[in-house]
Amino acid sequence: MLKINDIGPQHYRDAMAHFAGHVHVVTTDGPGGKRGATVIAACSVSDTPPTVLVCLNRENAKNDAFIKNGKFALNTLASDQEAVSVGFSGVTGLPAEERFALAEWDVISTGAPTLKGALAVFDCEIIDAKDLATHRVLFGKVTGLRIGDNLRPLIYHNRGYHVL
């Protein structure tokens, strides 16, 4: 067991690698452009009104599209959608049009791309955003919802994909 008081970025990332999280792809489209990114940092805020939050790296200027468009869809991935996650993670360097070509998409209420076959989709209007350190937290009021088949979820833990 390692105990440390000097919490540098690498030690923090190493500890967070032990945090298991559900894999999502968050998407947007509109005047600010079409954009999607793989995220783990997303969760429910409230059921009245239905609200979710998602954390995006604000050091990537392409993520400004979410604020400019004022909407996003949080697409919760199933175990067979790992290739979608990798494509949207940025490690492949794929441009937006090639990322979106990895799967089938439609729209529900806001016009943000929603992933067909996702475990769940939360289509949201951005109602607030907070910048903190390297990230921007988007708060979205859920205006459209799709519940997919009860498939096994895609989880990210210890810097790798896993299935429950």
Side-chain angles (χ1 to χ4, degrees), residues 50 108-110 122-125 140-145:
I108 298 175
S109 63
T110 69
F122 304 88
D123 197 11
C124 303
E125 294 175 359
K141 179 181 176 188
V142 180
T143 61
L145 180 67

Side-chain angles (χ1 to χ4, degrees), residues 11-80:
H11 285 119
Y12 178 78
R13 286 192 297 273
D14 290 345
M16 287 304 295
H18 293 279
F19 184 88
H22 202 135
V23 182
H24 312 270
V25 169
V26 61
T27 57
T28 190
D29 198 5
K34 192 173 187 179
R35 173 82 177 137
T38 299
V39 298
I40 306 299
C43 69
S44 172
V45 174
S46 176
D47 65 357
T48 310
T51 308
V52 297
L53 70 77
V54 62
C55 300
L56 289 170
N57 185 340
R58 67 186 179 102
E59 293 180 345
N60 184 337
K62 292 178 183 176
N63 286 336
D64 290 345
F66 290 91
I67 293 294
K68 291 176 184 171
N69 293 337
K71 59 190 168 189
F72 67 85
L74 184 64
N75 302 278
T76 303
L77 301 189
S79 59
D80 65 347

Side-chain angles (χ1 to χ4, degrees), residues 62-118:
K62 292 178 183 176
N63 286 336
D64 290 345
F66 290 91
I67 293 294
K68 291 176 184 171
N69 293 337
K71 59 190 168 189
F72 67 85
L74 184 64
N75 302 278
T76 303
L77 301 189
S79 59
D80 65 347
Q81 295 171 319
E82 183 176 331
V84 176
S85 174
V86 171
F88 279 88
S89 70
V91 299
T92 61
L94 291 175
E97 56 275 0
E98 290 182 36
R99 292 177 185 201
F100 282 97
L102 294 170
E104 292 185 44
W105 304 87
D106 60 7
V107 295
I108 298 175
S109 63
T110 69
T114 57
L115 179 62
K116 292 183 177 182

